[in-house]
Amino acid sequence: QVRLVESGGGLVRAGGSLRLSCAASGGAFSGTTKGWFRQAPGKEREFVAAISWAGSRTTYDDSVKGRFTISRSVIKNQLYLEMNNLKPEDTAVYYCAAGDQYYSGSDLRLAAYEFWGQGTQVTVSS
C-alpha cells in the first residue's frame, strides 16, 4: 500500500507559479507510474500529467503543455508538478496518483492509478 500526501497548493495571481509536491510512503513507489490529476468545482476529475516509472517518458494534457512540468525524485520518494504561467482555469484541487507497477503501455493516461492522495487546493485569481 502506497500512501501519498500532497503539499504546495495555495492562492496565486494569474501568470504566477506554484510547485506541488507529493510525498510517498509505505510501498514500492519507485516502480509505479505516477500522475497528477485535478478537479474543479462542478467538474469531473481530469488528467493533468504523468511520468513513467523509470522517469523516461512524460505525458501532459494539452491545456497545460508548455506550462507545467512533472518530475520525480527517487531518492526522496517524491513527485512534483511545477506550474508556471497559471491561469484562472487552472483553479482546482490537485491530486497525485500512482499505480500499475512497471507499466509499459504507450499511453500513461491509461495506467491503473490505484493510490491517491487527499488533494491540495490551487486557486488562481485573475
Side-chain angles (χ1 to χ4, degrees):
Q1 190 77 7
V2 176
R3 181 170 179 263
L4 303 174
V5 179
E6 303 94 338
S7 62
L11 174 64
V12 64
R13 288 188 175 182
S17 299
L18 282 175
R19 187 193 196 208
L20 304 184
S21 298
C22 175
S25 61
F29 182 66
S30 61
T32 61
T33 304
K34 306 161 185 63
W36 288 95
F37 294 75
R38 67 186 180 186
Q39 186 167 19
K43 295 186 177 181
E44 293 187 354
R45 187 171 59 194
E46 63 178 9
F47 170 83
V48 176
I51 186 166
S52 62
W53 69 269
S56 56
R57 293 186 291 139
T58 56
T59 300
Y60 297 90
D61 184 76
D62 287 345
S63 65
V64 306
K65 203 171 293 183
R67 300 187 298 122
F68 291 12
T69 302
I70 188 171
S71 62
R72 94 273 196 259
S73 169
V74 175
I75 294 176
K76 295 183 178 180
N77 239 19
Q78 295 216 0
L79 178 69
Y80 306 103
L81 185 68
E82 185 76 34
M83 305 185 295
N84 297 313
N85 191 21
L86 282 160
K87 304 175 180 181
E89 51 263 43
D90 294 319
T91 295
V93 176
Y94 283 71
Y95 300 90
C96 68
D100 219 332
Q101 286 277 337
Y102 306 116
Y103 175 75
S104 59
S106 59
D107 192 341
L108 297 177
R109 294 170 297 179
L110 300 181
Y113 295 97
E114 57 185 306
F115 306 112
W116 292 83
Q118 293 298 309
T120 185
Q121 177 70 46
V122 171
T123 303
V124 184
S125 64
S126 58

